[in-house]
Amino acid sequence: MNEHLTDKEVVAYLKKIIHSNPLDIALKKSPFPHVSSNQLAQQLAGMQIARKKFPDLYENREIIYPPKVNLEQTSSQTAASYKASRIKGPIIDLTGGFGIDCCAFYQHSCKDVTHVELNPDLQTYSEHLFKTLDYSIHSVNANGLTYLKETDRHFESIYLDPSRKTSSKSKALFIEDYEPNVLEFKELLLAKANQVWIKTSPMLDLSQGIQQLQNVQEIHIVAVKNEVKEVLWKLDKSTNYSPVIHCVNLETNQNVFQFPWDSISPTTTYESPQTFLIEPNAAIMKSQGFSEFSKKYGLDKIDANSHLFTATTIEPGIPGRVFKIKEIAPYQPKSVKKKYGNQRFGVVTRNFKLSVQQLRQKFKLGEHETDYLFFTTVKGSLSVIRGQKI
């Protein structure tokens, strides 16, 4: 780690070229005698990620960023803040990484935070981050589980973000696809803390995770601007097979939607599209809690497998996108081409035989932010619904 990266002239240079390709910078001669081209490229890549993912850090010229791969695996500032609003201290993060989550814990939850990171280089960057922000976070270069076994401390909360084992397991559908395998160390974790929080990929199967972990009290499906970023599992010492599911869509005005896992049922009502079409947000789609969503907001499904809903009235803050229905027609390619071809629409497919890309190519459809075409199934029949986003 080169502290000359925080020199005033270096920071000014990097901000001036903030839109440049870091690979191009790495191939050029550095204009600074004490900073190499590769170091400039790494810092530039870090600043570009921070600008979108951790805007508060981007504004601080004293931050030095680790390699890009370490930042890509890190929670966003928004997601970290959400976790900090739920997790109580004292907290230990066993897979601390660059330390974004620990910073959020320290800022929002408590001042007693322990950060453990196995990679010595990455832990150095983290220590520098904490020092720069003047956060009294205890940082340790160690294996998190080994450190936990050896410490005499008992924590209110343990947090860990296990990594996927191999590229062949990139989808990480099950708990055993992660390292460390929480199933092997669950007793240790629950002996050392009152609650354990585990972050996993959105791909992990919820039903399987609940059955395997057994002690799950809450599951938080965290989306940011309608893209699911992570799933948080809260465990404690009591056995539970019906945790409360929290569906969260950050950086929107949508309400948090929650329901008990055992209330999920295929039972719901079906109706032809009425005044409004409602598309549940990505977190609810992941949860599969469609029957509870329907009951909560007085909605009807338009088809068993489309996962689109309809209603004559809409509550403010409903957790999803709402469209005023303009037209409904059977899907007939010639008719669609004549009526909508060579125009601009947002395109959504649900339970439909063609993809969005195929439909755009087939009917030469451009993009639009508010005028949408839904290609879907309505009561078993392929249909096209035109809607205006509200």
Side-chain angles (χ1 to χ4, degrees), residues 51-53 55 76 78-79 221-229 248-254 279-283 320-321 389:
R51 195 175 184 213
K52 296 179 179 179
K53 203 170 182 181
S76 68
T78 303
I221 304 172
V222 182
V224 179
K225 293 182 178 178
N226 210 38
E227 181 182 353
V228 179
K229 296 294 187 179
V248 185
N249 195 14
L250 303 174
E251 297 186 26
T252 71
N253 61 357
Q254 296 174 9
E279 180 188 43
N281 67 35
R321 296 195 298 179
K389 186 179 176 183

Side-chain angles (χ1 to χ4, degrees), residues 287-304:
S287 77
Q288 299 288 295
F290 301 119
S291 59
E292 289 301 306
F293 179 68
S294 176
K295 292 174 190 174
K296 168 72 174 176
Y297 291 100
L299 309 175
D300 298 304
K301 256 190 169 187
I302 65 170
D303 189 86

Side-chain angles (χ1 to χ4, degrees), residues 121-190:
D121 293 330
L122 183 54
Q123 193 260 342
T124 300
Y125 283 100
S126 303
E127 281 195 315
H128 185 270
L129 172 65
F130 303 148
K131 182 180 178 182
T132 300
L133 297 175
D134 196 26
Y135 289 174
S136 300
I137 296 173
H138 179 52
S139 183
V140 182
N141 172 217
N143 177 292
L145 290 169
T146 301
Y147 180 86
L148 192 65
K149 289 177 185 176
E150 295 175 351
T151 184
D152 294 330
R153 290 201 63 187
H154 185 275
F155 299 89
E156 178 63 30
S157 302
I158 291 173
Y159 173 78
L160 67 160
D161 177 7
S163 60
R164 297 162 191 172
K165 284 184 178 179
T166 66
S167 58
S168 65
K169 294 285 189 179
S170 59
K171 288 188 177 181
L173 298 177
F174 307 108
I175 295 292
E176 58 266 30
D177 294 339
Y178 289 84
E179 183 65 43
N181 183 347
V182 177
L183 297 175
E184 297 177 1
F185 299 97
K186 192 177 70 169
E187 289 187 13
L188 170 66
L189 296 170
L190 291 173

Side-chain angles (χ1 to χ4, degrees), residues 164 170-172 178 199-204 229-231:
R164 297 162 191 172
S170 59
K171 288 188 177 181
Y178 289 84
K199 171 187 167 183
T200 67
S201 156
M203 296 300 295
L204 195 137
K229 296 294 187 179
E230 55 195 60
V231 177

Side-chain angles (χ1 to χ4, degrees), residues 76-94:
S76 68
Q77 182 176 309
T78 303
S81 296
Y82 175 76
K83 279 179 277 196
S85 72
R86 310 295 305 188
I87 303 177
K88 299 177 181 179
I91 302 169
I92 181 170
D93 184 344
L94 299 182

